[in-house]
Amino acid sequence: RKGTAVITGASSGLGLATAKALAETGEWHVVMACRNFLKAEKAAKSVGMSKEDYTVMHLDLASLESVKQFVDSFRRTERPLDVLVCNAAVYQPTAKEPSFTAEGFEISVGTNHLGHFLLSRLLLDELKKSDYPSKRMIIVGSITGNTNTLAGNVPPKANLGDLRGLASGLNGQNSSMIDGGEYDGAKAYKDSKVCNMLTMQELHRRYHEETGVTFASLYPGCIATTGLFREHIPLFRLLFPPFQKYITKGYVSEEEAGKRLAQVVSDPSLGKSGVYWSWNNNSSSFENQLSKEASDAEKAKKLWEVSEKLVGLA
Ligand code: NDP
């Protein structure tokens, strides 16, 4: 049978390119879990995906209620879940003030981390039930959260501190930043990506042996042309793609990045669990090293426990 992969945020950028790459193999049905139904339908058509290869389902990660509804609707389709890709993200580098999710969490961490945290926990049971030979859960990471890299050292750097802001609700009353500091939209995004990478490793430690599910993260390269940078200032949007192409040479097209993520979904040679994948300039994959903070097992455990409370699992 065809595999079923759920991809969050498949209405643009990396998620869409991955959906397309998987659909093209003829071996996958892609559930595009998106907040904007019409946009997702149009996006699927625009890249030439055929009707029988995808289903659009509504998911707004900035609402825990929506996450629960998505899980219920998915269960009702009676499709097996073979691979879950947590890909959607928001990035608000120029915001002066924080915005908040339906439950009142700062929106970058609320969407990118907490929404996906609840989704992955609720869908783990569905993954367990699947009889697919290589079941996987993938959470898209980023170089920007990794302070052991050049890109990760551009200020403001990611830093979760002792998680005091998260523990106090991330609702702007005490703080809207995980470390309890002043609001900074670019840092909030980087922090959320560190959470994504820590969560992947904690899932691996808690569930890989028991379930056989492969948990993985990746940095697909700098896809400087996606909608992620839509809220950046115009000059940045103009200069960022050529800067990445010619100066850092970290640039990767949406199509190439989609192929990379599709490999992590289905390539038999990328089936190892607990790995953060990256690619060389010649597009060969390798197991990359995470920064000290993004591989801190104590912090991962604490993040897990605090997040469970916030999303109502504990
Ligand atoms: P895009 O902005 O193109 O795509 C982000 C997707 O997330 C969109 O489909 C968007 O939906 C969706 N999304 C945003 N908020 C929500 C929400 N509340 N509920 C559901 N879906 C939502 O960015 P990219 O493709 O670049 O980003 C994809 C992933 O890649 C992210 O995890 C990002 O961190 C990661 N990444 C990107 C890099 C890059 O250079 N671009 C580098 C490294 C990692 P909508 O279409 O409705 O806006």
Side-chain angles (χ1 to χ4, degrees), residues 269-305:
S269 66
L270 277 69
K272 188 171 167 192
S273 187
V275 174
Y276 167 64
W277 296 103
S278 297
W279 284 260
N280 289 318
N281 283 345
N282 63 1
S283 270
S284 54
S285 56
F286 66 97
E287 288 180 32
N288 205 349
Q289 216 61 52
L290 287 159
S291 71
K292 190 160 171 280
E293 181 170 53
S295 53
D296 181 336
E298 270 304 303
K299 212 170 254 197
K301 181 166 179 281
K302 192 165 174 197
L303 175 69
W304 180 276
E305 288 163 1

Side-chain angles (χ1 to χ4, degrees), residues 40-258:
E41 272 293 344
K42 281 189 185 151
K45 284 206 185 80
S46 76
V47 295
M49 289 167 69
S50 46
K51 268 261 158 248
E52 64 276 11
D53 290 336
Y54 71 92
T55 308
V56 176
M57 288 181 65
H58 185 261
L59 167 65
D60 184 350
L61 288 157
S63 154
L64 299 180
E65 215 36 62
S66 172
V67 171
K68 290 180 204 157
Q69 276 169 20
F70 171 81
V71 173
D72 282 347
S73 317
F74 181 79
R75 286 197 184 118
R76 277 199 298 274
T77 65
E78 294 185 5
R79 280 188 183 280
L81 176 65
D82 306 319
V83 175
L84 169 65
V85 182
C86 297
N87 160 76
V90 283
Y91 176 45
Q92 304 196 321
T94 56
K96 298 271 181 290
E97 298 288 330
S99 358
F100 298 93
T101 66
E103 285 79 14
F105 306 123
E106 186 284 318
I107 204 156
S108 327
V109 173
T111 305
N112 309 354
H113 168 56
L114 292 171
H116 278 135
F117 182 79
L118 180 62
L119 182 73
S120 57
R121 293 289 302 278
L122 296 178
L123 284 179
L124 192 57
D125 275 342
E126 299 305 304
L127 270 176
K128 281 191 207 162
K129 281 186 226 153
S130 148
D131 62 358
Y132 204 70
S134 185
K135 306 184 273 189
R136 302 182 187 182
M137 189 189 285
I138 300 154
I139 309 180
V140 178
S142 177
I143 198 171
T144 55
N146 274 305
T147 49
N148 59 340
T149 65
L150 190 63
N153 271 305
V154 176
K157 290 192 215 176
N159 177 11
L160 308 188
D162 62 3
L163 307 184
R164 68 177 65 180
L166 189 69
S168 69
L170 209 69
N171 53 19
Q173 275 163 17
N174 295 310
S175 173
S176 46
M177 299 298 286
I178 295 182
D179 64 0
E182 285 292 305
Y183 175 70
D184 181 319
K187 180 175 183 295
Y189 169 80
K190 294 178 188 180
D191 288 350
S192 77
K193 291 279 113 184
V194 174
C195 293
N196 286 154
M197 294 180 281
L198 288 173
T199 301
M200 178 281 286
Q201 295 163 85
E202 190 66 15
L203 281 159
H204 166 73
R205 281 189 284 268
R206 287 179 188 241
Y207 297 111
H208 174 63
E209 255 184 51
E210 171 200 330
T211 63
V213 172
T214 292
F215 298 96
S217 186
L218 70 152
Y219 172 62
C222 182
I223 331 161
T225 51
T226 71
L228 197 66
F229 308 102
R230 76 194 89 185
E231 290 177 39
H232 228 301
I233 55 169
L235 187 65
F236 177 90
R237 293 205 310 263
L238 181 73
L239 296 180
F240 191 52
F243 174 72
Q244 291 293 347
K245 245 181 220 165
Y246 305 114
I247 314 282
T248 70
K249 302 212 168 34
Y251 174 85
V252 64
S253 68
E254 292 182 30
E255 194 184 6
E256 174 60 24

